[in-house]
Amino acid sequence: MKRPVPRTVSRASRPRPTEGACPVPGLERGLRILELLVDYPEGLTQREIAERLQYPAASVHRLSQTLQAHGYLVRDEEGRVLRLSRKLVAMGSRVLAEEDWLSEAMDAAKVLRDGVKETVLIGTLAGDALVVLGQVLGTHPFKFSVDLGARLPLHTAAPAKAMLAFLPEEERRRVLQQIKYEKFNERTLCSVQALEAELMQVERQGYAVDRQEQLTGIHCVAAPVFNRHGYPVAALWTTGPADRLREKDFPAVATLVMEQAQRVSRRLGFGWIPAPEKNNGKTGNGHE
Protein backbone atom coordinates (compact mmCIF):
# COMPACT_ATOMS: atom_id res chain seq x y z
CA MET A 1 0.00 0.00 0.00
CA LYS A 2 1.42 3.37 -0.97
CA ARG A 3 1.91 5.88 1.80
CA PRO A 4 -0.53 8.80 1.43
CA VAL A 5 0.85 12.18 0.46
CA PRO A 6 2.07 13.95 3.63
CA ARG A 7 -0.28 16.55 4.94
CA THR A 8 -0.08 18.94 7.82
CA VAL A 9 -2.89 19.75 10.20
CA SER A 10 -2.69 23.45 10.94
CA ARG A 11 -3.28 24.76 14.39
CA ALA A 12 -6.11 26.93 13.09
CA SER A 13 -7.94 23.89 11.69
CA ARG A 14 -7.94 21.94 14.92
CA PRO A 15 -11.27 21.71 16.75
CA ARG A 16 -11.53 24.24 19.54
CA PRO A 17 -12.49 23.13 23.06
CA THR A 18 -16.12 23.54 23.95
CA GLU A 19 -16.82 26.81 25.72
CA GLY A 20 -16.41 26.41 29.46
CA ALA A 21 -14.31 23.25 29.09
CA CYS A 22 -10.95 22.86 30.80
CA PRO A 23 -8.70 21.23 28.19
CA VAL A 24 -5.84 18.96 29.25
CA PRO A 25 -3.07 19.59 26.67
CA GLY A 26 -1.37 16.22 27.06
CA LEU A 27 -4.63 14.30 26.74
CA GLU A 28 -5.69 16.40 23.79
CA ARG A 29 -2.41 15.71 22.00
CA GLY A 30 -2.69 11.98 22.68
CA LEU A 31 -6.19 11.90 21.24
CA ARG A 32 -5.07 13.86 18.20
CA ILE A 33 -2.36 11.26 17.55
CA LEU A 34 -4.95 8.47 17.65
CA GLU A 35 -7.27 10.40 15.35
CA LEU A 36 -4.45 11.08 12.89
CA LEU A 37 -3.43 7.41 12.70
CA VAL A 38 -6.98 6.41 11.78
CA ASP A 39 -6.25 7.97 8.37
CA TYR A 40 -2.94 6.10 8.07
CA PRO A 41 -3.64 2.36 8.59
CA GLU A 42 -0.12 1.59 7.33
CA GLY A 43 1.30 3.76 10.13
CA LEU A 44 3.52 6.82 10.56
CA THR A 45 6.88 7.49 12.17
CA GLN A 46 7.13 9.75 15.21
CA ARG A 47 8.71 12.40 13.02
CA GLU A 48 5.84 12.23 10.53
CA ILE A 49 3.29 12.52 13.36
CA ALA A 50 5.10 15.56 14.75
CA GLU A 51 5.21 17.20 11.31
CA ARG A 52 1.55 16.61 10.53
CA LEU A 53 0.29 17.80 13.90
CA GLN A 54 3.00 20.45 14.38
CA TYR A 55 3.82 19.05 17.81
CA PRO A 56 7.29 19.03 19.42
CA ALA A 57 9.15 15.80 18.65
CA ALA A 58 9.87 15.21 22.34
CA SER A 59 6.16 15.48 23.17
CA VAL A 60 5.21 13.01 20.43
CA HIS A 61 7.88 10.62 21.68
CA ARG A 62 6.56 10.66 25.25
CA LEU A 63 2.93 10.37 24.22
CA SER A 64 3.53 7.55 21.75
CA GLN A 65 5.53 5.65 24.36
CA THR A 66 2.62 5.96 26.79
CA LEU A 67 0.01 4.96 24.19
CA GLN A 68 2.13 1.98 23.19
CA ALA A 69 2.63 0.92 26.82
CA HIS A 70 -1.15 0.89 27.29
CA GLY A 71 -1.72 -1.11 24.12
CA TYR A 72 -3.26 1.58 21.90
CA LEU A 73 -0.33 1.73 19.48
CA VAL A 74 1.98 -0.93 18.02
CA ARG A 75 5.31 -0.60 16.22
CA ASP A 76 6.52 -2.43 13.14
CA GLU A 77 9.34 -4.95 13.42
CA GLU A 78 11.95 -2.25 12.77
CA GLY A 79 10.50 -0.12 15.54
CA ARG A 80 10.00 2.95 13.36
CA VAL A 81 6.37 3.02 12.24
CA LEU A 82 3.50 3.41 14.69
CA ARG A 83 -0.01 2.09 13.98
CA LEU A 84 -3.26 1.79 15.89
CA SER A 85 -3.65 -1.54 17.68
CA ARG A 86 -6.82 -3.65 17.82
CA LYS A 87 -7.43 -2.59 21.43
CA LEU A 88 -9.75 0.13 20.19
CA VAL A 89 -11.73 -2.48 18.25
CA ALA A 90 -12.15 -4.56 21.38
CA MET A 91 -13.21 -1.52 23.41
CA GLY A 92 -15.63 -0.44 20.72
CA SER A 93 -17.27 -3.81 20.10
CA ARG A 94 -20.23 -2.91 22.32
CA VAL A 95 -20.55 0.49 20.69
CA LEU A 96 -20.49 -1.14 17.26
CA ALA A 97 -23.72 -2.91 18.14
CA GLU A 98 -25.47 0.47 18.11
CA GLU A 99 -23.87 1.92 14.97
CA ASP A 100 -25.67 2.30 11.66
CA TRP A 101 -23.29 -0.02 9.83
CA LEU A 102 -24.20 -2.90 12.10
CA SER A 103 -27.85 -2.25 11.35
CA GLU A 104 -26.94 -2.53 7.68
CA ALA A 105 -25.01 -5.71 8.47
CA MET A 106 -28.02 -7.17 10.23
CA ASP A 107 -30.17 -6.41 7.19
CA ALA A 108 -27.57 -8.16 5.02
CA ALA A 109 -27.54 -11.08 7.46
CA LYS A 110 -31.32 -11.45 7.11
CA VAL A 111 -31.05 -11.52 3.33
CA LEU A 112 -28.31 -14.13 3.56
CA ARG A 113 -30.30 -16.19 6.08
CA ASP A 114 -33.27 -16.21 3.70
CA GLY A 115 -30.97 -17.47 0.96
CA VAL A 116 -29.20 -20.24 2.88
CA LYS A 117 -31.87 -21.00 5.53
CA GLU A 118 -29.10 -21.42 8.12
CA THR A 119 -28.10 -19.15 11.02
CA VAL A 120 -26.06 -16.10 9.97
CA LEU A 121 -23.70 -14.23 12.30
CA ILE A 122 -21.56 -11.09 12.43
CA GLY A 123 -18.36 -10.76 14.45
CA THR A 124 -14.98 -9.09 14.75
CA LEU A 125 -11.49 -9.82 16.02
CA ALA A 126 -10.86 -8.71 19.60
CA GLY A 127 -7.59 -9.70 21.20
CA ASP A 128 -7.07 -13.45 21.05
CA ALA A 129 -10.57 -14.36 19.85
CA LEU A 130 -13.37 -13.65 17.40
CA VAL A 131 -16.28 -11.95 19.19
CA VAL A 132 -19.88 -12.46 18.05
CA LEU A 133 -21.73 -9.14 17.60
CA GLY A 134 -25.02 -10.25 16.10
CA GLN A 135 -26.94 -13.16 14.63
CA VAL A 136 -30.06 -14.05 12.66
CA LEU A 137 -31.35 -17.52 13.43
CA GLY A 138 -31.95 -20.05 10.66
CA THR A 139 -35.38 -21.14 9.52
CA HIS A 140 -34.95 -24.89 10.12
CA PRO A 141 -36.55 -26.49 13.23
CA PHE A 142 -33.02 -27.40 14.35
CA LYS A 143 -30.76 -24.35 14.13
CA PHE A 144 -27.36 -23.27 15.41
CA SER A 145 -27.30 -20.44 17.96
CA VAL A 146 -24.45 -18.53 19.64
CA ASP A 147 -24.66 -16.13 22.57
CA LEU A 148 -23.83 -12.53 21.66
CA GLY A 149 -20.38 -11.71 22.97
CA ALA A 150 -19.23 -15.33 22.67
CA ARG A 151 -15.52 -15.68 21.86
CA LEU A 152 -14.44 -18.14 19.18
CA PRO A 153 -10.91 -19.54 18.63
CA LEU A 154 -8.95 -17.78 15.90
CA HIS A 155 -7.47 -20.95 14.41
CA THR A 156 -10.79 -22.74 13.91
CA ALA A 157 -13.48 -20.10 13.35
CA ALA A 158 -14.19 -19.37 9.68
CA PRO A 159 -14.88 -15.65 10.35
CA ALA A 160 -11.55 -15.29 12.16
CA LYS A 161 -9.74 -16.89 9.22
CA ALA A 162 -11.64 -14.61 6.82
CA MET A 163 -10.30 -11.56 8.65
CA LEU A 164 -6.80 -12.85 9.40
CA ALA A 165 -6.18 -13.57 5.72
CA PHE A 166 -6.55 -9.89 4.85
CA LEU A 167 -4.73 -8.28 7.76
CA PRO A 168 -1.49 -6.41 6.97
CA GLU A 169 1.26 -9.02 6.76
CA GLU A 170 3.13 -7.96 9.89
CA GLU A 171 -0.01 -7.78 12.00
CA ARG A 172 -1.18 -11.17 10.75
CA ARG A 173 2.18 -12.78 11.51
CA ARG A 174 2.14 -11.33 15.01
CA VAL A 175 -1.39 -12.57 15.71
CA LEU A 176 -0.62 -16.05 14.38
CA GLN A 177 2.37 -16.33 16.70
CA GLN A 178 0.20 -15.47 19.72
CA ILE A 179 -2.54 -18.05 19.07
CA LYS A 180 -2.79 -21.04 21.41
CA TYR A 181 -3.35 -23.86 18.94
CA GLU A 182 -5.64 -26.01 21.04
CA LYS A 183 -6.55 -29.29 19.36
CA PHE A 184 -10.30 -29.96 19.42
CA ASN A 185 -10.29 -32.94 17.03
CA GLU A 186 -8.33 -34.47 14.16
CA ARG A 187 -9.47 -31.68 11.79
CA THR A 188 -8.14 -28.79 13.90
CA LEU A 189 -5.30 -26.73 12.41
CA CYS A 190 -2.73 -27.03 15.18
CA SER A 191 0.26 -25.02 13.93
CA VAL A 192 1.21 -21.64 12.50
CA GLN A 193 2.29 -23.33 9.28
CA ALA A 194 -1.03 -25.12 8.79
CA LEU A 195 -3.04 -21.97 9.48
CA GLU A 196 -0.82 -19.87 7.19
CA ALA A 197 -1.41 -22.32 4.35
CA GLU A 198 -5.16 -22.10 4.95
CA LEU A 199 -5.05 -18.29 4.99
CA MET A 200 -3.25 -18.21 1.66
CA GLN A 201 -6.16 -20.14 0.19
CA VAL A 202 -8.66 -17.80 1.88
CA GLU A 203 -6.88 -14.79 0.41
CA ARG A 204 -7.05 -16.30 -3.09
CA GLN A 205 -10.69 -17.34 -3.00
CA GLY A 206 -12.13 -14.53 -0.87
CA TYR A 207 -13.87 -16.67 1.73
CA ALA A 208 -13.04 -19.01 4.62
CA VAL A 209 -14.56 -22.23 5.92
CA ASP A 210 -14.66 -24.27 9.11
CA ARG A 211 -14.76 -28.00 8.38
CA GLN A 212 -15.87 -29.19 11.82
CA GLU A 213 -12.52 -27.98 13.19
CA GLN A 214 -13.86 -27.19 16.65
CA LEU A 215 -17.35 -28.67 16.84
CA THR A 216 -17.89 -32.02 15.16
CA GLY A 217 -20.88 -31.90 12.82
CA ILE A 218 -20.81 -28.10 12.30
CA HIS A 219 -19.69 -26.31 9.13
CA CYS A 220 -19.23 -22.56 8.57
CA VAL A 221 -18.61 -20.33 5.55
CA ALA A 222 -17.42 -16.74 6.11
CA ALA A 223 -16.39 -13.62 4.19
CA PRO A 224 -14.58 -10.48 5.41
CA VAL A 225 -16.07 -7.00 5.72
CA PHE A 226 -13.70 -4.15 4.84
CA ASN A 227 -13.62 -0.48 5.80
CA ARG A 228 -12.75 2.33 3.39
CA HIS A 229 -9.04 1.64 3.85
CA GLY A 230 -9.40 -1.99 2.79
CA TYR A 231 -8.87 -3.16 6.36
CA PRO A 232 -10.93 -6.17 7.56
CA VAL A 233 -13.07 -4.87 10.41
CA ALA A 234 -15.63 -7.68 10.68
CA ALA A 235 -16.84 -10.90 9.12
CA LEU A 236 -20.19 -12.27 8.02
CA TRP A 237 -20.77 -16.00 8.11
CA THR A 238 -23.31 -18.77 8.06
CA THR A 239 -23.19 -21.94 10.11
CA GLY A 240 -25.15 -25.15 10.19
CA PRO A 241 -25.04 -28.96 10.43
CA ALA A 242 -22.53 -30.62 8.13
CA ASP A 243 -25.23 -32.77 6.52
CA ARG A 244 -27.10 -29.61 5.42
CA LEU A 245 -24.21 -27.20 4.86
CA ARG A 246 -22.14 -29.67 2.85
CA GLU A 247 -18.55 -29.19 1.70
CA LYS A 248 -19.53 -29.60 -1.94
CA ASP A 249 -21.90 -26.64 -1.50
CA PHE A 250 -19.26 -24.33 0.03
CA PRO A 251 -18.48 -22.39 -3.20
CA ALA A 252 -22.15 -21.70 -3.95
CA VAL A 253 -22.86 -20.68 -0.36
CA ALA A 254 -19.69 -18.56 -0.32
CA THR A 255 -20.95 -16.58 -3.31
CA LEU A 256 -24.05 -15.59 -1.33
CA VAL A 257 -22.01 -14.77 1.78
CA MET A 258 -19.57 -12.61 -0.17
CA GLU A 259 -22.39 -10.73 -1.89
CA GLN A 260 -23.79 -9.62 1.46
CA ALA A 261 -20.33 -8.96 2.96
CA GLN A 262 -19.67 -6.70 -0.01
CA ARG A 263 -22.92 -4.87 0.68
CA VAL A 264 -21.77 -4.08 4.22
CA SER A 265 -18.27 -3.15 3.00
CA ARG A 266 -19.78 -0.64 0.58
CA ARG A 267 -21.66 0.84 3.54
CA LEU A 268 -18.25 1.40 5.11
CA GLY A 269 -16.84 3.04 1.99
CA PHE A 270 -15.02 0.09 0.46
CA GLY A 271 -15.41 -0.66 -3.23
CA TRP A 272 -13.92 -4.10 -3.92
CA ILE A 273 -14.24 -7.65 -2.61
CA PRO A 274 -12.06 -10.55 -3.85
CA ALA A 275 -13.95 -12.85 -6.20
CA PRO A 276 -13.99 -16.61 -5.51
CA GLU A 277 -11.37 -18.50 -7.47
CA LYS A 278 -12.32 -21.03 -10.11
CA ASN A 279 -11.64 -24.28 -8.29
CA ASN A 280 -14.07 -26.74 -9.86
CA GLY A 281 -16.00 -27.08 -6.62
CA LYS A 282 -12.95 -27.82 -4.47
CA THR A 283 -12.31 -25.70 -1.42
CA GLY A 284 -9.64 -24.92 1.15
CA ASN A 285 -7.14 -27.75 1.41
CA GLY A 286 -8.82 -29.79 -1.31
CA HIS A 287 -11.13 -31.87 0.92
CA GLU A 288 -14.41 -32.97 -0.55
Side-chain angles (χ1 to χ4, degrees), residues 1 4 117 185 189 239:
M1 181 181 294
K117 310 303 181 186
N185 55 48
L189 302 176
T239 182

Side-chain angles (χ1 to χ4, degrees), residues 9 13 28 46 60 69 93 110 116 147 149 244 266 283 285:
V9 180
S13 67
E28 183 179 3
Q46 288 186 11
V60 171
S93 60
K110 292 174 184 175
V116 298
D147 292 336
R244 287 202 311 246
R266 286 197 300 266
T283 61
N285 55 18

